[in-house]
Amino acid sequence: MLSAALAGVAAGAAPSLWHIALFAVGAVAMRGAGCTYNDLVDRDIDAQVARTRSRPLPSGQVTPKAAALFLAAQILIGLAVLLALPPFAILVGACSVLPVALYPFMKRITWWPQAMLGVCFGWGALMGWAAAFGRLDAAPLALHAAAFVWIIGYDTIYAHQDKEDDALVGVGSTALLFGARTRPIVTALYAAAALLIGVAIHLAGGGWLSYAGLAGFAAHCVWQIVRLDIADPALCLKLFKSNREAGALVFAGLALDAITRL
């Protein structure tokens, strides 16, 4: 949806409500599908982690067959949304399948599974622009880069909940890699995200409302860094979840900027 709002700014028109509705449904369906797929692949690992062993698959509440059927239903919804978009956007969306398929295995071979998550979850930064203009330009690529580093930052915070269990099980994460250096590294990642969002706004010809949304995002990121305590799992989860509000601030700024150009 951020990409659709950014496209609205560039076009000097209100973001397409049809595209926003499609992306909202698609985001719920495909993120849900990603989580289901990840849970299927990781069910044996999740059974060894205190926070995740009570999830439906590792606890035995749901069978792998039932989860696979649910995954298929989620994918069908996502496919229906994708096919409702223009041809170029369909192609861009289809290109996300490989990184999504690879993501659950990254923790087994690298310390950087959060980087692959950034590629996957940041893909939406390309879709709105592709649907609006039938091409990709520098602005959505900058927005994707912003999402990439932002997601690494906030998912590192999330991963600090499980670092002890991850170390025992033998899987990697940036939480384990960064360790005591998490605060300065996440600060740098968030700063890079804010800078890249600013670049995307500039390339799209955004006005002061877009930059006001960016300022709100940056302030929210500063609040997270100030509050961060990697030894407090409950706080890490709270800060992770608060990134919904951080993204909403950017979207609101972009959407208002686009609407006021009418």
Side-chain angles (χ1 to χ4, degrees):
M1 291 192 290
L2 287 181
S3 185
L6 186 70
V9 170
S16 168
L17 294 180
W18 172 241
H19 286 167
I20 288 176
L22 285 175
F23 294 139
V25 174
V28 172
M30 294 314 296
R31 290 202 176 196
C35 290
T36 304
Y37 172 61
N38 189 66
D39 285 354
L40 270 167
V41 173
D42 283 351
R43 59 188 184 275
D44 292 336
I45 292 176
D46 287 345
Q48 303 175 62
V49 176
R51 188 180 59 83
T52 59
R53 64 170 57 108
S54 61
R55 287 178 176 176
L57 275 166
S59 67
Q61 300 173 57
V62 173
T63 65
K65 181 179 179 180
L69 290 173
F70 182 55
L71 173 61
Q74 292 172 305
I75 290 174
L76 286 174
I77 294 171
L79 180 61
V81 168
L82 184 63
L83 294 177
L85 295 172
F88 183 74
I90 294 174
L91 175 62
V92 173
C95 290
S96 68
V97 172
L98 180 60
V100 170
L102 291 175
Y103 165 67
F105 302 99
M106 292 299 102
K107 65 173 68 70
R108 294 163 169 82
I109 60 174
T110 177
W111 293 105
W112 290 90
Q114 282 71 26
M116 184 60 80
L117 185 68
V119 173
C120 298
F121 277 11
W123 210 268
L126 306 175
M127 294 297 295
W129 192 281
F133 295 114
R135 65 178 191 269
L136 289 176
D137 297 301
L141 293 175
L143 187 63
H144 182 271
F148 175 74
V149 291
W150 177 32
I151 290 165
I152 294 175
Y154 71 60
D155 202 63
T156 296
I157 294 174
Y158 180 84
H160 270 286
Q161 299 176 90
D162 302 326
K163 57 192 174 187
E164 288 86 3
D165 286 325
D166 286 346
L168 289 172
V169 173
V171 295
S173 76
T174 48
L176 288 169
L177 180 65
F178 298 163
R181 300 170 296 159
T182 291
R183 187 189 301 275
I185 293 175
V186 172
T187 299
L189 290 166
Y190 279 178
L195 176 62
L196 287 163
I197 292 171
V199 170
I201 291 171
H202 172 73
L203 291 170
W208 72 268
L209 284 168
S210 292
Y211 288 107
L214 172 58
F217 171 85
H220 194 287
C221 289
V222 170
W223 171 79
Q224 289 185 51
I225 295 299
V226 171
R227 290 289 311 280
L228 180 60
D229 178 359
I230 61 174
D232 185 340
L235 179 59
C236 287
L237 180 60
K238 177 181 177 180
L239 294 178
F240 165 78
K241 289 181 176 180
S242 76
N243 282 279
R244 291 175 297 194
E245 288 74 45
L249 289 168
V250 180
F251 175 78
L254 291 171
L256 287 172
D257 193 354
I259 291 169
T260 56
R261 292 166 184 249
L262 296 176

